[in-house]
Amino acid sequence: RNRMIAARSIKELREKTGAGISDIKKALEDAEGDAHKAEALIAERLGSTAGKRAGRDTGAGVVEAYIHSNARIGVLLTLSCETDFVARNPGFKVLAHDIAMHVAAMAPDDPEALAAQPFIKDPGKTVGDVINESIGRFGENIKIGAFIRFEV
């Protein structure tokens, strides 16, 4: 029975965090099976991975275009990473889309201001936190590059 709970917890934490299974198992062990504590540990550890990757070159990435449903707001945004392998990953493309949507909604002035804003899809985290978690998940440095927001 305990094994089924662990398997369910691992699956749920994998969906929430995108962390590797071994990282999730370790966090669950360290949190004595408490999924909320394990999720916090995973976020902390993925964030610490970001620090190790910060200096690495980001020569690949995507340009994301987002047009709001009212067709009155649009955003072009560059999100860079280290390799084309990550740039083609569907999860990376979703990240770029979500950040472009955030820019449309919140109109930050520059990448630093953007990183400091509470993320519209999860206000408990900043956009910078989301980037750091993604760095941990993809194992590559990720940077928000230039963006421009248009509004009619």
Side-chain angles (χ1 to χ4, degrees):
R1 172 147 175 79
N2 213 357
R3 177 171 251 148
M4 289 305 293
I5 292 170
R8 188 176 320 120
S9 296
I10 290 168
K11 181 177 185 272
E12 287 172 5
L13 284 170
R14 178 131 172 87
E15 288 170 1
K16 280 185 180 178
T17 67
I21 290 174
S22 60
D23 294 332
I24 293 169
K25 284 182 179 177
K26 175 86 173 101
L28 279 167
E29 287 170 12
D30 293 349
E32 298 175 351
D34 183 318
H36 292 294
K37 286 181 186 173
E39 187 176 352
L41 285 171
I42 291 165
E44 187 180 301
R45 291 170 185 169
L46 290 180
S48 70
T49 303
K52 296 174 193 164
R53 307 221 184 260
R56 293 179 38 185
D57 187 40
T58 54
V62 296
V63 174
E64 179 65 23
Y66 173 79
I67 308 294
H68 191 64
S69 60
N70 66 8
R72 296 181 58 86
I73 299 172
V75 172
L76 279 176
L77 169 129
T78 60
L79 187 65
S80 57
C81 56
E82 296 175 37
T83 64
D84 284 338
F85 178 75
V86 167
R88 289 190 306 266
N89 182 300
F92 185 81
K93 291 177 180 179
V94 167
L95 176 66
H97 178 79
D98 288 349
I99 294 170
M101 187 172 61
H102 178 98
V103 170
M106 303 306 290
D109 293 329
D110 54 47
E112 292 76 31
L114 169 58
Q117 290 180 332
F119 187 47
I120 56 169
K121 291 186 86 178
D122 185 352
K125 299 175 182 175
T126 65
V127 173
D129 294 337
V130 172
I131 293 293
N132 286 339
E133 288 173 6
S134 298
I135 289 170
R137 180 174 39 223
F138 294 115
E140 289 193 4
N141 194 14
I142 296 172
K143 291 183 184 161
I144 298 170
F147 59 83
I148 187 164
R149 181 181 184 276
F150 300 95
E151 185 168 4
V152 176

